[in-house]
Short mmCIF file of all heavy atoms in Angstrom, two decimals:
data_model
loop_
_atom_site.label_atom_id
_atom_site.label_comp_id
_atom_site.label_asym_id
_atom_site.label_seq_id
_atom_site.Cartn_x
_atom_site.Cartn_y
_atom_site.Cartn_z
N GLU A 779 97.72 124.25 180.29
CA GLU A 779 98.19 123.14 179.43
C GLU A 779 97.16 122.03 179.27
O GLU A 779 97.39 121.10 178.48
CB GLU A 779 99.46 122.48 179.99
CG GLU A 779 100.62 123.40 180.31
CD GLU A 779 100.42 124.07 181.66
OE1 GLU A 779 100.43 123.37 182.67
OE2 GLU A 779 100.24 125.32 181.70
N ALA A 780 96.07 122.08 180.00
CA ALA A 780 95.05 121.03 179.86
C ALA A 780 94.29 121.15 178.53
O ALA A 780 93.64 120.20 178.10
CB ALA A 780 94.07 121.07 181.03
N GLY A 781 94.37 122.29 177.88
CA GLY A 781 93.64 122.51 176.63
C GLY A 781 94.09 121.52 175.56
O GLY A 781 95.28 121.25 175.41
N GLY A 782 93.12 120.97 174.84
CA GLY A 782 93.43 120.03 173.76
C GLY A 782 93.76 118.63 174.26
O GLY A 782 94.21 117.79 173.48
N GLN A 783 93.55 118.36 175.55
CA GLN A 783 93.97 117.09 176.13
C GLN A 783 92.79 116.25 176.61
O GLN A 783 91.76 116.76 177.02
CB GLN A 783 94.86 117.34 177.36
CG GLN A 783 96.03 118.23 177.13
CD GLN A 783 97.18 117.50 176.45
OE1 GLN A 783 97.22 116.28 176.42
NE2 GLN A 783 98.08 118.27 175.87
N ARG A 784 93.05 114.94 176.59
CA ARG A 784 92.13 113.95 177.13
C ARG A 784 92.77 113.42 178.40
O ARG A 784 93.98 113.16 178.42
CB ARG A 784 92.13 112.85 176.09
CG ARG A 784 90.94 112.03 175.94
CD ARG A 784 91.19 111.03 174.82
NE ARG A 784 89.99 110.24 174.70
CZ ARG A 784 89.96 108.97 174.37
NH1 ARG A 784 91.08 108.33 174.11
NH2 ARG A 784 88.81 108.33 174.29
N PHE A 785 91.98 113.24 179.47
CA PHE A 785 92.55 112.78 180.74
C PHE A 785 91.84 111.53 181.25
O PHE A 785 90.63 111.56 181.52
CB PHE A 785 92.46 113.87 181.81
CG PHE A 785 93.32 115.05 181.50
CD1 PHE A 785 92.77 116.19 180.92
CD2 PHE A 785 94.69 115.01 181.75
CE1 PHE A 785 93.57 117.28 180.61
CE2 PHE A 785 95.49 116.10 181.43
CZ PHE A 785 94.93 117.24 180.87
N PHE A 786 92.61 110.45 181.38
CA PHE A 786 92.11 109.21 181.98
C PHE A 786 92.25 109.40 183.50
O PHE A 786 93.36 109.34 184.04
CB PHE A 786 92.95 108.05 181.47
CG PHE A 786 92.49 106.68 181.89
CD1 PHE A 786 91.19 106.45 182.33
CD2 PHE A 786 93.36 105.60 181.81
CE1 PHE A 786 90.77 105.17 182.70
CE2 PHE A 786 92.95 104.32 182.17
CZ PHE A 786 91.66 104.11 182.62
N VAL A 787 91.12 109.69 184.14
CA VAL A 787 91.11 110.03 185.57
C VAL A 787 90.68 108.78 186.33
O VAL A 787 89.50 108.45 186.38
CB VAL A 787 90.17 111.24 185.78
CG1 VAL A 787 89.92 111.48 187.25
CG2 VAL A 787 90.79 112.48 185.15
N VAL A 788 91.67 108.06 186.87
CA VAL A 788 91.42 106.72 187.42
C VAL A 788 92.29 106.51 188.66
O VAL A 788 93.47 106.86 188.66
CB VAL A 788 91.72 105.63 186.34
CG1 VAL A 788 93.08 105.82 185.70
CG2 VAL A 788 91.59 104.23 186.89
N SER A 789 91.70 105.96 189.71
CA SER A 789 92.48 105.71 190.91
C SER A 789 93.20 104.38 190.81
O SER A 789 94.39 104.27 191.11
CB SER A 789 91.56 105.71 192.13
OG SER A 789 92.31 105.43 193.28
N GLY A 790 92.49 103.31 190.39
CA GLY A 790 93.15 102.02 190.29
C GLY A 790 92.14 100.91 190.07
O GLY A 790 91.01 101.15 189.68
N GLN A 791 92.59 99.69 190.37
CA GLN A 791 91.73 98.52 190.24
C GLN A 791 90.93 98.31 191.52
O GLN A 791 91.36 98.74 192.59
CB GLN A 791 92.59 97.27 190.00
CG GLN A 791 93.47 97.35 188.78
CD GLN A 791 94.38 96.13 188.65
OE1 GLN A 791 94.69 95.46 189.64
NE2 GLN A 791 94.82 95.85 187.44
N PHE A 792 89.80 97.67 191.41
CA PHE A 792 89.06 97.25 192.60
C PHE A 792 88.42 95.90 192.30
O PHE A 792 88.35 95.48 191.15
CB PHE A 792 87.95 98.25 192.97
CG PHE A 792 86.73 98.15 192.08
CD1 PHE A 792 85.65 97.36 192.44
CD2 PHE A 792 86.68 98.83 190.86
CE1 PHE A 792 84.54 97.25 191.61
CE2 PHE A 792 85.57 98.71 190.03
CZ PHE A 792 84.51 97.93 190.40
N SER A 793 87.99 95.24 193.35
CA SER A 793 87.15 94.06 193.16
C SER A 793 85.97 94.18 194.10
O SER A 793 86.01 94.93 195.08
CB SER A 793 87.93 92.78 193.45
OG SER A 793 88.20 92.70 194.84
N ASN A 794 84.93 93.40 193.82
CA ASN A 794 83.76 93.41 194.69
C ASN A 794 84.13 92.90 196.08
O ASN A 794 83.62 93.37 197.09
CB ASN A 794 82.65 92.55 194.08
CG ASN A 794 82.13 93.17 192.80
OD1 ASN A 794 81.74 94.33 192.78
ND2 ASN A 794 82.18 92.42 191.71
N LYS A 795 85.04 91.94 196.11
CA LYS A 795 85.53 91.40 197.39
C LYS A 795 86.22 92.51 198.20
O LYS A 795 86.01 92.63 199.42
CB LYS A 795 86.50 90.25 197.08
CG LYS A 795 87.48 89.93 198.15
CD LYS A 795 87.03 88.76 198.99
CE LYS A 795 88.13 88.27 199.90
NZ LYS A 795 87.66 88.07 201.26
N GLN A 796 87.03 93.32 197.53
CA GLN A 796 87.71 94.41 198.25
C GLN A 796 86.71 95.41 198.79
O GLN A 796 86.86 95.92 199.90
CB GLN A 796 88.72 95.12 197.34
CG GLN A 796 89.95 94.30 197.02
CD GLN A 796 90.74 94.87 195.84
OE1 GLN A 796 90.50 96.00 195.41
NE2 GLN A 796 91.64 94.08 195.30
N ILE A 797 85.67 95.71 198.02
CA ILE A 797 84.65 96.64 198.50
C ILE A 797 83.98 96.07 199.75
O ILE A 797 83.82 96.75 200.77
CB ILE A 797 83.60 96.93 197.41
CG1 ILE A 797 84.25 97.68 196.27
CG2 ILE A 797 82.44 97.76 197.97
CD1 ILE A 797 83.30 98.04 195.16
N ALA A 798 83.59 94.79 199.67
CA ALA A 798 82.93 94.16 200.81
C ALA A 798 83.85 94.19 202.04
O ALA A 798 83.41 94.47 203.17
CB ALA A 798 82.53 92.73 200.46
N ASP A 799 85.14 93.94 201.82
CA ASP A 799 86.09 93.93 202.94
C ASP A 799 86.25 95.32 203.56
O ASP A 799 86.38 95.45 204.78
CB ASP A 799 87.45 93.37 202.50
CG ASP A 799 87.40 91.86 202.28
OD1 ASP A 799 86.41 91.23 202.71
OD2 ASP A 799 88.35 91.32 201.67
N VAL A 800 86.24 96.36 202.71
CA VAL A 800 86.32 97.72 203.27
C VAL A 800 85.09 98.00 204.12
O VAL A 800 85.19 98.52 205.24
CB VAL A 800 86.41 98.78 202.14
CG1 VAL A 800 86.15 100.18 202.69
CG2 VAL A 800 87.77 98.74 201.45
N ILE A 801 83.93 97.61 203.64
CA ILE A 801 82.70 97.89 204.41
C ILE A 801 82.74 97.12 205.74
O ILE A 801 82.40 97.66 206.79
CB ILE A 801 81.44 97.50 203.60
CG1 ILE A 801 81.41 98.27 202.27
CG2 ILE A 801 80.17 97.80 204.41
CD1 ILE A 801 80.32 97.83 201.32
N ARG A 802 83.22 95.88 205.67
CA ARG A 802 83.31 95.05 206.88
C ARG A 802 84.21 95.75 207.91
O ARG A 802 83.92 95.78 209.10
CB ARG A 802 83.89 93.69 206.48
CG ARG A 802 83.97 92.68 207.58
CD ARG A 802 84.34 91.31 207.04
NE ARG A 802 83.22 90.64 206.41
CZ ARG A 802 83.12 90.34 205.12
NH1 ARG A 802 84.08 90.64 204.29
NH2 ARG A 802 82.05 89.76 204.65
N GLU A 803 85.30 96.35 207.42
CA GLU A 803 86.26 96.99 208.32
C GLU A 803 85.75 98.33 208.86
O GLU A 803 85.86 98.61 210.05
CB GLU A 803 87.58 97.21 207.55
CG GLU A 803 88.68 97.79 208.41
CD GLU A 803 89.92 98.15 207.58
OE1 GLU A 803 90.06 97.67 206.43
OE2 GLU A 803 90.74 98.93 208.10
N THR A 804 85.15 99.13 207.97
CA THR A 804 84.78 100.49 208.41
C THR A 804 83.37 100.55 208.99
O THR A 804 83.04 101.49 209.70
CB THR A 804 84.89 101.51 207.24
OG1 THR A 804 83.99 101.11 206.20
CG2 THR A 804 86.31 101.58 206.70
N HIS A 805 82.54 99.59 208.66
CA HIS A 805 81.15 99.56 209.16
C HIS A 805 80.81 98.16 209.65
O HIS A 805 79.96 97.48 209.04
CB HIS A 805 80.16 100.01 208.06
CG HIS A 805 80.28 101.45 207.71
ND1 HIS A 805 81.24 101.94 206.88
CD2 HIS A 805 79.55 102.52 208.12
CE1 HIS A 805 81.12 103.26 206.77
NE2 HIS A 805 80.10 103.64 207.52
N PRO A 806 81.46 97.73 210.75
CA PRO A 806 81.25 96.35 211.22
C PRO A 806 79.79 96.03 211.53
O PRO A 806 79.37 94.87 211.45
CB PRO A 806 82.12 96.25 212.49
CG PRO A 806 82.62 97.62 212.77
CD PRO A 806 82.44 98.46 211.56
N GLU A 807 79.00 97.07 211.81
CA GLU A 807 77.58 96.82 212.11
C GLU A 807 76.81 96.29 210.89
O GLU A 807 75.69 95.81 211.02
CB GLU A 807 76.92 98.10 212.67
CG GLU A 807 76.68 99.24 211.66
CD GLU A 807 77.91 100.09 211.33
OE1 GLU A 807 79.06 99.71 211.69
OE2 GLU A 807 77.74 101.15 210.67
N LEU A 808 77.43 96.39 209.68
CA LEU A 808 76.76 95.91 208.47
C LEU A 808 77.16 94.47 208.10
O LEU A 808 76.73 93.95 207.07
CB LEU A 808 77.07 96.85 207.29
CG LEU A 808 76.56 98.28 207.45
CD1 LEU A 808 77.11 99.17 206.33
CD2 LEU A 808 75.03 98.32 207.43
N GLU A 809 77.99 93.86 208.95
CA GLU A 809 78.53 92.52 208.67
C GLU A 809 77.48 91.53 208.16
O GLU A 809 77.69 90.83 207.18
CB GLU A 809 79.20 91.99 209.95
CG GLU A 809 79.66 90.54 209.89
CD GLU A 809 80.91 90.35 209.05
OE1 GLU A 809 81.89 91.08 209.27
OE2 GLU A 809 80.89 89.46 208.17
N ASP A 810 76.32 91.50 208.82
CA ASP A 810 75.35 90.46 208.44
C ASP A 810 74.66 90.72 207.10
O ASP A 810 73.90 89.90 206.61
CB ASP A 810 74.33 90.23 209.56
CG ASP A 810 73.46 91.44 209.78
OD1 ASP A 810 73.86 92.54 209.32
OD2 ASP A 810 72.38 91.31 210.39
N LYS A 811 74.91 91.87 206.49
CA LYS A 811 74.36 92.14 205.14
C LYS A 811 75.37 91.75 204.04
O LYS A 811 75.03 91.74 202.86
CB LYS A 811 74.09 93.64 204.96
CG LYS A 811 73.24 94.26 206.02
CD LYS A 811 71.79 94.05 205.69
CE LYS A 811 70.93 94.88 206.61
NZ LYS A 811 69.61 94.32 206.76
N LEU A 812 76.62 91.51 204.44
CA LEU A 812 77.70 91.40 203.44
C LEU A 812 77.91 89.96 202.97
O LEU A 812 77.56 89.01 203.66
CB LEU A 812 79.00 91.93 204.05
CG LEU A 812 78.97 93.42 204.41
CD1 LEU A 812 80.25 93.81 205.16
CD2 LEU A 812 78.80 94.28 203.17
N PRO A 813 78.53 89.81 201.78
CA PRO A 813 78.89 88.47 201.31
C PRO A 813 79.85 87.81 202.30
O PRO A 813 80.51 88.52 203.07
CB PRO A 813 79.61 88.74 199.98
CG PRO A 813 79.33 90.14 199.62
CD PRO A 813 78.98 90.87 200.86
N PRO A 814 79.92 86.47 202.29
CA PRO A 814 80.78 85.78 203.27
C PRO A 814 82.21 86.31 203.26
O PRO A 814 82.75 86.66 202.21
CB PRO A 814 80.75 84.33 202.79
CG PRO A 814 79.54 84.22 201.92
CD PRO A 814 79.26 85.57 201.37
N LYS A 815 82.76 86.34 204.45
CA LYS A 815 84.11 86.87 204.64
C LYS A 815 85.15 86.13 203.79
O LYS A 815 86.12 86.72 203.31
CB LYS A 815 84.47 86.69 206.11
CG LYS A 815 85.51 87.62 206.61
CD LYS A 815 85.67 87.50 208.10
CE LYS A 815 86.89 88.30 208.49
NZ LYS A 815 87.09 88.45 209.87
N ASP A 816 84.92 84.83 203.61
CA ASP A 816 85.90 84.04 202.85
C ASP A 816 85.53 83.94 201.36
O ASP A 816 85.98 83.04 200.66
CB ASP A 816 86.04 82.65 203.46
CG ASP A 816 84.69 81.94 203.52
OD1 ASP A 816 83.67 82.57 203.13
OD2 ASP A 816 84.65 80.77 203.94
N SER A 817 84.71 84.88 200.86
CA SER A 817 84.40 84.89 199.42
C SER A 817 85.72 84.98 198.65
O SER A 817 86.64 85.68 199.07
CB SER A 817 83.56 86.12 199.03
OG SER A 817 82.38 86.17 199.76
N PRO A 818 85.78 84.29 197.49
CA PRO A 818 87.04 84.33 196.73
C PRO A 818 87.28 85.72 196.12
O PRO A 818 86.33 86.41 195.76
CB PRO A 818 86.82 83.29 195.62
CG PRO A 818 85.33 83.18 195.52
CD PRO A 818 84.75 83.48 196.86
N GLU A 819 88.52 86.08 196.03
CA GLU A 819 88.92 87.33 195.35
C GLU A 819 88.43 87.26 193.90
O GLU A 819 88.69 86.28 193.20
CB GLU A 819 90.44 87.48 195.41
CG GLU A 819 91.02 88.65 194.65
CD GLU A 819 90.44 90.00 195.05
OE1 GLU A 819 90.71 90.46 196.18
OE2 GLU A 819 89.71 90.58 194.22
N ASP A 820 87.69 88.29 193.45
CA ASP A 820 87.15 88.25 192.09
C ASP A 820 87.88 89.16 191.11
O ASP A 820 87.43 89.37 189.99
CB ASP A 820 85.64 88.54 192.09
CG ASP A 820 85.30 89.88 192.72
OD1 ASP A 820 86.04 90.32 193.63
OD2 ASP A 820 84.29 90.47 192.33
N LEU A 821 89.00 89.72 191.52
CA LEU A 821 89.78 90.55 190.59
C LEU A 821 90.62 89.61 189.72
O LEU A 821 91.49 88.90 190.23
CB LEU A 821 90.69 91.51 191.37
CG LEU A 821 91.47 92.50 190.53
CD1 LEU A 821 90.55 93.54 189.90
CD2 LEU A 821 92.53 93.20 191.37
N SER A 822 90.35 89.63 188.43
CA SER A 822 91.10 88.73 187.55
C SER A 822 92.51 89.26 187.33
O SER A 822 92.72 90.47 187.22
CB SER A 822 90.35 88.63 186.23
OG SER A 822 91.25 88.44 185.18
N PRO A 823 93.49 88.35 187.22
CA PRO A 823 94.87 88.81 186.95
C PRO A 823 94.97 89.51 185.60
O PRO A 823 95.91 90.25 185.35
CB PRO A 823 95.70 87.53 186.95
CG PRO A 823 94.79 86.40 187.29
CD PRO A 823 93.38 86.90 187.37
N ASP A 824 93.96 89.29 184.73
CA ASP A 824 93.97 89.95 183.41
C ASP A 824 93.40 91.36 183.43
O ASP A 824 93.33 92.01 182.40
CB ASP A 824 93.12 89.15 182.41
CG ASP A 824 93.69 87.77 182.18
OD1 ASP A 824 94.91 87.63 182.39
OD2 ASP A 824 92.91 86.86 181.83
N THR A 825 92.94 91.79 184.59
CA THR A 825 92.32 93.12 184.65
C THR A 825 93.27 94.19 184.13
O THR A 825 94.48 94.14 184.37
CB THR A 825 91.93 93.46 186.11
OG1 THR A 825 91.02 92.49 186.52
CG2 THR A 825 91.29 94.83 186.21
N TYR A 826 92.68 95.14 183.42
CA TYR A 826 93.46 96.25 182.86
C TYR A 826 94.31 96.93 183.93
O TYR A 826 93.88 97.08 185.05
CB TYR A 826 92.56 97.33 182.27
CG TYR A 826 91.26 96.88 181.69
CD1 TYR A 826 90.06 97.42 182.14
CD2 TYR A 826 91.24 95.95 180.67
CE1 TYR A 826 88.85 97.03 181.57
CE2 TYR A 826 90.04 95.55 180.10
CZ TYR A 826 88.86 96.09 180.56
OH TYR A 826 87.67 95.72 180.02
#
Side-chain angles (χ1 to χ4, degrees):
E779 307 81 66
Q783 306 282 343
R784 209 178 180 214
F785 294 98
F786 186 19
V787 170
V788 51
S789 179
Q791 301 176 335
F792 77 93
S793 69
N794 294 306
K795 157 98 169 133
Q796 289 165 13
I797 294 181
D799 287 347
V800 166
I801 302 172
R802 184 171 283 114
E803 183 187 343
T804 61
H805 292 80
E807 72 281 12
L808 297 171
E809 172 75 50
D810 65 342
K811 306 276 191 205
L812 297 174
K815 204 173 171 172
D816 57 357
S817 302
E819 174 56 69
D820 57 330
L821 185 69
S822 148
D824 297 335
T825 300
Y826 328 124

